[in-house]
Amino acid sequence: MTTIDPEQYKAGQRQGWNCVASGWQKWWKTTETAGEKVSKRLIELAAIKQGSRVLDIATGIGEPSITAAHQVGNSGHVLAIDISSQMLSIAKQRAVSLGLHDIMEFKEGDTETIDLPTLTFDAALCRFGLMFLPNLAAGLSNIHKSLVHGGLFAAAVWATPDKVPFISLPLNTILKETNSPSPPANTPGPFSLSDESLLKDSFTKSGFEDVTIERLDMVFNFDSADDYTNFVCETAAPVQAILSNQPQERRKEILQAVTEATSRYVDKSSGSVRVSNEAICIVGKR
């Protein structure tokens, strides 16, 4: 059980994602080059094909819904939802620029409470969103009822912090530098669903059948350690929140500490950074 106020938490999430939306737009190529393999695998696991009706949960700036829209074609349909109006605005712009606006529909709301049509979607997707739900059971139940019988839900979440350094390294460095406490246990966050057995159990309890899990490597590449630090600073709302309480000089020192901590991932000949991370992919059937 979490000890947070769900509504207050969701309001914070909404504000946080809105604040970093422009950063996600700026770093889109970096994140999508890294995430392409995961998106494609989720679409395979959900058996999405031409003509499929697809729900994408927590789409952010439009993935994997845009990849799914290419797959379903003009005879299919994709509904992409997100809690952040700013992230959705960018996703809509991308859909229009790619000529997918007739296939895709966008709706603002949170996964637990958004009104979804029942028995409608052939497949549902969620790439790195489930970990942030304060009431996972409510979210999964809402997704479950929206699927047709036999419909598949495929999601990706992050593995344990030691296997996801692109998040844990800067976060741990900044928490240490600022003497900030770690987030309380049993609260939503990037690693809250890293326990495979608990993750599988949550799907089963929500009515999903034939639940299977696999793991995928997801590699982020940056031109330099400074680039990586800028990426973290511009896309991570919790990092921005912590740094906003620091004087400007101290902020520079903290970010320099992140850059230095990245040294173990720097290629000595080129100066580029390669960070390998582990994603957990799960699929269940209604």
Side-chain angles (χ1 to χ4, degrees):
M1 294 292 289
T2 61
T3 55
I4 59 171
D5 177 319
E7 293 312 311
Q8 190 177 358
Y9 169 81
K10 288 177 191 177
Q13 282 285 299
R14 192 176 293 110
Q15 182 183 10
W17 289 112
N18 280 339
C19 284
V20 296
S22 60
W24 280 87
Q25 186 174 31
K26 174 183 171 180
W27 291 98
W28 170 80
K29 190 173 181 183
T30 299
T31 55
E32 286 318 309
T33 300
E36 183 180 13
K37 184 166 83 168
V38 177
S39 289
K40 285 183 174 176
R41 185 57 184 144
L42 291 179
I43 284 163
E44 288 171 0
L45 290 170
I48 293 169
K49 55 188 183 295
Q50 195 164 5
S52 291
R53 294 159 299 170
V54 180
L55 171 68
D56 183 27
I57 301 292
T59 193
I61 62 168
E63 283 294 352
S65 58
I66 285 173
T67 303
H70 283 295
Q71 183 81 357
V72 304
N74 291 329
S75 59
H77 182 74
V78 178
L79 172 61
I81 72 166
D82 201 272
I83 199 170
S84 162
S85 60
Q86 296 299 311
M87 298 287 264
L88 275 181
S89 177
I90 296 166
K92 287 178 193 173
Q93 291 167 27
R94 291 183 59 214
V96 169
S97 72
L98 293 166
L100 298 170
H101 47 285
D102 290 334
I103 300 169
M104 301 186 73
E105 178 188 350
F106 298 89
K107 192 173 180 182
E108 184 182 344
D110 77 79
T111 313
E112 298 167 10
T113 63
I114 194 167
D115 187 23
L116 296 171
T118 55
L119 294 167
T120 296
F121 299 103
D122 302 302
L125 303 167
C126 184
R127 195 185 75 176
F128 305 123
L130 293 181
M131 311 89 66
F132 299 107
L133 301 187
N135 186 340
L136 178 62
L140 289 176
S141 175
N142 204 18
I143 296 163
H144 184 271
K145 74 179 177 63
S146 77
L147 289 168
V148 299
H149 292 295
L152 295 164
F153 174 40
V157 300
W158 291 118
T160 48
D162 57 306
K163 293 179 178 175
V164 191
F166 102 100
I167 296 175
S168 59
L169 180 141
L171 193 57
N172 290 341
T173 303
I174 290 167
L175 291 176
K176 184 180 175 184
E177 287 287 325
T178 56
N179 291 317
S180 301
S182 296
N186 302 319
T187 55
F191 309 115
S192 64
L193 297 179
S194 57
D195 184 318
E196 234 182 69
S197 59
L198 290 178
L199 175 63
K200 194 170 184 178
D201 191 47
S202 66
F203 267 60
T204 304
K205 284 180 177 174
S206 297
F208 288 99
E209 299 176 351
D210 303 332
V211 180
T212 58
I213 283 178
E214 62 183 57
R215 290 175 182 255
L216 272 185
D217 202 31
M218 183 167 163
V219 179
F220 280 82
N221 290 287
F222 301 90
D223 290 339
S224 67
D226 283 328
D227 258 15
Y228 168 73
T229 301
N230 289 334
F231 164 79
V232 169
C233 200
E234 292 169 6
T235 60
V239 169
Q240 287 191 2
I242 294 170
L243 292 177
S244 68
N245 297 320
Q246 302 294 323
Q248 192 168 353
E249 271 309 307
R250 182 67 189 124
R251 212 176 303 166
K252 285 181 186 174
E253 292 170 1
I254 294 164
L255 292 175
Q256 183 56 35
V258 173
T259 302
E260 289 170 4
T262 311
S263 62
R264 74 189 82 166
Y265 300 104
V266 174
D267 181 284
K268 288 186 172 63
S269 60
S270 66
S272 62
V273 171
R274 183 183 188 276
V275 189
S276 182
N277 310 274
E278 190 170 86
I280 300 171
C281 295
I282 182 167
V283 62
K285 181 175 75 174
R286 169 161 185 175

